[in-house]
């Protein structure tokens, strides 16, 4: 129950994660901010789903209220149109019904980047991370939890 | 707990006169539509108060735009529906009040890089409830919201949506209580916005290190050590000796956050 992650703890996990990412040429980038609560890591890439190409931006940031890492993203199709939540559900990695999907992901104003993003609700993360024992890197553990929902193609070399 | 009922009532009853005008580019009829005037509660959200306005303008626009998502701007600044109306007014008009507040209505060119989509009122409800939940995480580690029943959550939302003070406060008072021997919230749910709309959120305790009540003056010194600023909410410049705990209990918006503008 007493799961606590500080902004400093998040930042040091993020730095360790970026080191691994660099070794694997995985293109995650750390954006450090003077305001430590606003540091985040980001990866812009293309994904191929059922023969269709999409541009994606993935951002992992520290959610100040919940004290957890939080996953956020945007996806554009090849015409440059940003996908809505229903489009995203259809290209999700696993079959998931509308109600469950919508209860986990909603469009919100990004607390750090201040523009619309799809954000995974941090309250679920809090419950999940509270139920797990100590992990080597909280960001890796966290990504392991969410990959079933979002097709992230995370290498097992991160130590999942 | 929130005891100054007169203050709560005064804040709840705050209203703004708004004048909606249809963007000239949208008008497809020879006859110009009249502007649409309405008094709106400061604590509400735009999607909850604009049904009539939308119907008023619909017959003047191109029919191919009729099913598009409507949006509004003030002086070219798109208005974010997910913030309370009174906060948006304070942010954009606080230094130079104008009434009625004149806004321009659009049915095309939705600025999706700035505004969240709002296809229906369920989206507003979901956004509202998740904000209340977040505030409760800050105040009571989320324990009050998770102990409440679904019908209590509904009552909060319906109280706000239907402008029913008693219905809303019957539930909201539980969210405004502090527990145990510790007189005050764990953290104060507070968001402070600069004039450009960028937001600062910090973990703010209602107490100083020595256990005394933290007042606005001390918060300002903590956040803005270089130059003193004034803070405004609900159209009021907050007196410097206001305790943060009292402010949170009485001047929070229905989403349980203090939304404050730097001025």
């Amino acid at each position: 129950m007493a799961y606590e992650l500080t902004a400093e703890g998040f930042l040091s996990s993020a730095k360790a994660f970026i080191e691994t990412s660099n070794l694997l040429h995985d293109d995650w980038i750390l954006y450090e901010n003077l305001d430590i609560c606003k540091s985040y890591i980001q990866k812009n890439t293309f994904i191929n789903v059922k023969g269709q190409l999409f541009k994606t931006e993935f951002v992992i940031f520290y959610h100040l209220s919940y004290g957890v890492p939080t996953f956020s993203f945007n996806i554009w199709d090849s015409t440059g149109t940003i996908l809505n939540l229903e489009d995203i559900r259809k290209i999700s990695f696993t079959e998931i019904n509308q109600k469950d999907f919508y209860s986990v992901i909603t469009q919100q104003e990004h607390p750090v980047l201040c523009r619309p993003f799809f954000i995974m609700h941090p309250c679920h993360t809090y419950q999940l991370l509270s139920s797990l024992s100590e992990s080597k890197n909280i960001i890796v553990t966290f990504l392991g939890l969410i990959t079933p929902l979002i097709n992230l193609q995370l290498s097992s070399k991160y130590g999942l | 707990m929130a005891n100054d009922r007169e203050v709560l009532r005064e804040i709840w009853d705050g209203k703004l006169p708004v004048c909606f005008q249809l963007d000239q580019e949208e008008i497809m009829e020879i006859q110009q539509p009249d502007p649409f005037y309405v008094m709106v509660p400061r604590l509400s959200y735009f999607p909850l108060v604009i049904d009539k306005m939308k119907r008023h303008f619909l017959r003047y626009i191109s029919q191919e735009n009729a099913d598009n998502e409507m949006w509004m701007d003030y002086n070219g600044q798109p208005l974010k529906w997910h913030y309370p109306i009174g906060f948006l007014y304070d942010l954009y008009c606080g230094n130079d009040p104008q009434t009625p507040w004149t806004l321009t209505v659009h049915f095309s060119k939705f600025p999706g890089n700035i505004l969240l989509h709002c296809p229906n009122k369920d989206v507003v409800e979901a956004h509202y409830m998740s904000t209340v939940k977040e505030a409760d995480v800050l105040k009571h580690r989320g324990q009050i919201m998770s102990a409440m029943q679904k019908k209590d959550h509904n009552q909060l939302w319906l109280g706000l949506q239907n402008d029913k003070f008693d219905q809303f406060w019957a539930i909201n008072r539980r969210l405004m209580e502090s527990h145990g021997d510790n007189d005050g919230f764990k953290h104060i749910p507070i968001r402070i916005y600069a004039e450009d709309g960028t937001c600062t959120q910090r973990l703010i305790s209602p107490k100083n290190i020595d256990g005394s009540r933290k007042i606005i003056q001390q918060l300002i010194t903590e956040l803005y050590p270089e130059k003193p600023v004034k803070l405004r909410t609900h159209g009021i410049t907050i007196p410097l000796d206001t305790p943060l705990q009292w402010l949170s209990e009485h001047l929070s918006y229905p989403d349980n956050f203090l939304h404050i503008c730097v001025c």
Side-chain angles (χ1 to χ4, degrees), chain A:
Chain A
M1 190 60 213
Y3 170 80
E4 298 269 358
L5 176 70
T6 60
E8 290 79 7
F10 173 79
L11 185 58
S12 70
S13 293
K15 283 179 176 163
F17 182 84
I18 290 297
E19 277 179 31
T20 315
S21 167
N22 289 344
L23 287 175
L24 301 171
H25 304 289
D26 195 16
D27 300 334
W28 284 93
I29 297 170
L30 172 68
Y31 294 88
E32 273 194 80
N33 194 303
L34 274 180
D35 179 352
I36 191 170
C37 304
K38 291 192 169 179
S39 297
Y40 61 94
I41 60 172
Q42 180 167 17
K43 177 179 174 173
N44 293 343
T45 186
F46 292 91
I47 55 169
N48 189 329
V49 184
K50 296 163 193 159
Q52 269 186 290
L53 199 61
F54 297 93
K55 179 178 181 282
T56 60
E57 62 174 340
F58 300 130
V59 172
I60 300 171
F61 64 100
Y62 177 69
H63 200 294
L64 190 66
S65 301
Y66 286 88
V68 293
T70 304
F71 186 76
S72 56
F73 61 95
N74 276 311
I75 305 179
W76 293 263
D77 69 15
S78 53
T79 68
T81 307
I82 197 157
L83 299 196
N84 65 32
L85 197 54
E86 189 52 22
D87 299 331
I88 291 167
R89 185 177 71 94
K90 286 179 185 147
I91 64 166
S92 168
F93 198 50
T94 42
E95 296 271 319
I96 177 164
N97 74 47
Q98 202 175 38
K99 191 163 167 280
D100 289 345
F101 193 73
Y102 285 17
S103 75
V104 182
I105 297 176
T106 49
Q107 194 189 31
Q108 293 174 39
E109 185 173 30
H110 201 286
V112 176
L113 298 171
C114 301
R115 58 188 167 90
F117 260 84
F118 291 100
I119 298 184
M120 290 187 72
H121 284 187
C123 57
H124 300 282
T125 313
Y126 179 79
Q127 286 159 2
L128 279 168
L129 291 178
S130 300
S131 67
L132 295 171
S133 51
E134 277 291 292
S135 70
K136 208 170 75 183
N137 184 316
I138 192 70
I139 293 176
V140 176
T141 310
F142 167 67
L143 285 175
L145 291 172
I146 64 165
T147 24
L149 267 183
I150 305 293
N151 193 350
L152 259 186
Q153 296 161 341
L154 195 70
S155 165
S156 62
K157 292 185 182 129
Y158 280 101
L160 279 174

Side-chain angles (χ1 to χ4, degrees), chain B residues 129-250:
Chain B
M129 291 314 304
S130 80
T131 314
V132 176
K133 210 168 174 181
E134 180 178 338
D136 192 46
V137 168
L138 288 165
K139 289 192 281 192
H140 315 102
R141 296 176 187 270
Q143 287 162 357
I144 313 290
M145 277 300 276
S146 49
M148 277 184 187
Q149 296 176 6
K150 179 77 182 136
K151 69 173 173 57
D152 300 330
H153 292 178
N154 286 343
Q155 187 174 333
L156 264 184
W157 168 246
L158 291 173
L160 171 64
Q161 194 182 1
N162 301 326
D163 201 9
K164 300 278 190 238
F165 177 85
D166 293 327
Q167 189 182 1
F168 176 82
W169 270 100
I171 305 298
N172 200 50
R173 62 196 299 276
R174 284 152 63 185
L175 293 164
M176 289 299 171
E177 281 166 4
S178 32
H179 290 270
D181 45 356
N182 154 2
D183 184 25
F185 299 144
K186 183 165 173 272
H187 295 111
I188 301 286
I190 183 170
R191 290 186 181 147
I192 303 178
Y193 303 82
E195 260 173 88
D196 63 359
T198 54
C199 168
T200 306
Q201 199 184 338
R202 294 280 161 75
L203 292 178
I204 307 281
S205 164
K207 289 180 182 174
N208 295 305
I209 298 163
D210 64 4
S212 60
R213 294 191 302 182
K214 188 180 284 181
I215 59 173
I216 279 292
Q217 171 77 71
Q218 290 158 331
L219 178 76
I220 291 173
T221 317
E222 197 176 307
L223 296 181
Y224 305 95
E226 294 93 29
K227 66 172 179 89
V229 296
K230 286 182 181 166
L231 300 179
R232 179 186 292 122
T233 189
H234 303 288
I236 307 157
T237 303
I238 307 170
L240 293 175
D241 58 356
T242 314
L244 276 178
Q245 178 68 30
W246 185 91
L247 198 70
S248 184
E249 289 169 2
H250 295 86

Side-chain angles (χ1 to χ4, degrees), chain B residues 15 28 39 85 118 130 165 206 223:
Chain B
K15 296 219 168 29
M28 296 301 277
M39 284 292 272
I85 296 168
C118 183
S130 80
F165 177 85
L223 296 181

Side-chain angles (χ1 to χ4, degrees), chain B:
Chain B
M1 207 199 75
N3 285 319
D4 290 331
R5 197 182 154 88
E6 278 171 42
V7 176
L8 301 179
R9 187 77 227 195
E10 193 84 2
I11 295 291
W12 183 273
D13 288 337
K15 296 219 168 29
L16 273 175
V18 179
C19 167
F20 293 104
Q21 290 179 329
L22 186 58
D23 178 14
Q24 283 296 322
E25 285 183 22
E26 304 274 0
I27 300 172
M28 296 301 277
E29 297 289 316
I30 297 164
Q31 193 199 350
Q32 293 277 316
D34 287 331
F36 189 89
Y37 291 90
V38 64
M39 284 292 272
V40 295
R42 267 181 161 266
L43 298 189
S44 192
Y45 296 93
F46 273 121
L48 305 182
V49 297
I50 53 178
D51 286 348
K52 273 189 189 163
M53 176 274 274
K54 186 175 178 180
R55 278 199 298 278
H56 171 71
F57 286 131
L58 266 179
R59 61 200 152 96
Y60 295 94
I61 64 164
S62 160
Q63 283 318 294
E64 62 191 52
N65 290 338
D67 292 329
N68 287 0
E69 206 170 324
M70 187 178 72
W71 60 282
M72 289 161 289
D73 81 72
Y74 169 67
N75 265 353
Q77 183 72 47
L79 293 180
K80 296 176 177 176
W81 61 263
H82 65 285
Y83 289 131
I85 296 168
F87 162 72
L88 290 169
Y89 179 81
D90 286 345
L91 182 66
Y92 296 122
C93 283
N95 289 327
D96 185 17
Q98 58 148 276
T99 49
W101 192 23
T102 305
L103 306 178
T104 307
V105 176
H106 307 263
F107 288 84
S108 57
K109 299 177 189 157
F110 185 87
N113 55 340
I114 301 174
L115 301 183
L116 304 178
H117 286 287
C118 183
N120 54 53
K121 292 191 178 95
D122 292 348
V123 175
V124 187
E125 178 180 357
H127 187 276
Y128 169 75
M129 291 314 304
S130 80
T131 314
V132 176
K133 210 168 174 181
E134 180 178 338
D136 192 46
V137 168
L138 288 165
K139 289 192 281 192
H140 315 102
R141 296 176 187 270
Q143 287 162 357
I144 313 290
M145 277 300 276
S146 49
M148 277 184 187
Q149 296 176 6
K150 179 77 182 136
K151 69 173 173 57
D152 300 330
H153 292 178
N154 286 343
Q155 187 174 333
L156 264 184
W157 168 246
L158 291 173
L160 171 64
Q161 194 182 1
N162 301 326
D163 201 9
K164 300 278 190 238
F165 177 85
D166 293 327
Q167 189 182 1
F168 176 82
W169 270 100
I171 305 298
N172 200 50
R173 62 196 299 276
R174 284 152 63 185
L175 293 164
M176 289 299 171
E177 281 166 4
S178 32
H179 290 270
D181 45 356
N182 154 2
D183 184 25
F185 299 144
K186 183 165 173 272
H187 295 111
I188 301 286
I190 183 170
R191 290 186 181 147
I192 303 178
Y193 303 82
E195 260 173 88
D196 63 359
T198 54
C199 168
T200 306
Q201 199 184 338
R202 294 280 161 75
L203 292 178
I204 307 281
S205 164
K207 289 180 182 174
N208 295 305
I209 298 163
D210 64 4
S212 60
R213 294 191 302 182
K214 188 180 284 181
I215 59 173
I216 279 292
Q217 171 77 71
Q218 290 158 331
L219 178 76
I220 291 173
T221 317
E222 197 176 307
L223 296 181
Y224 305 95
E226 294 93 29
K227 66 172 179 89
V229 296
K230 286 182 181 166
L231 300 179
R232 179 186 292 122
T233 189
H234 303 288
I236 307 157
T237 303
I238 307 170
L240 293 175
D241 58 356
T242 314
L244 276 178
Q245 178 68 30
W246 185 91
L247 198 70
S248 184
E249 289 169 2
H250 295 86
L251 266 63
S252 288
Y253 278 86
D255 65 10
N256 277 243
F257 268 85
L258 287 163
H259 294 279
I260 292 180
C261 308
V262 174
C263 55

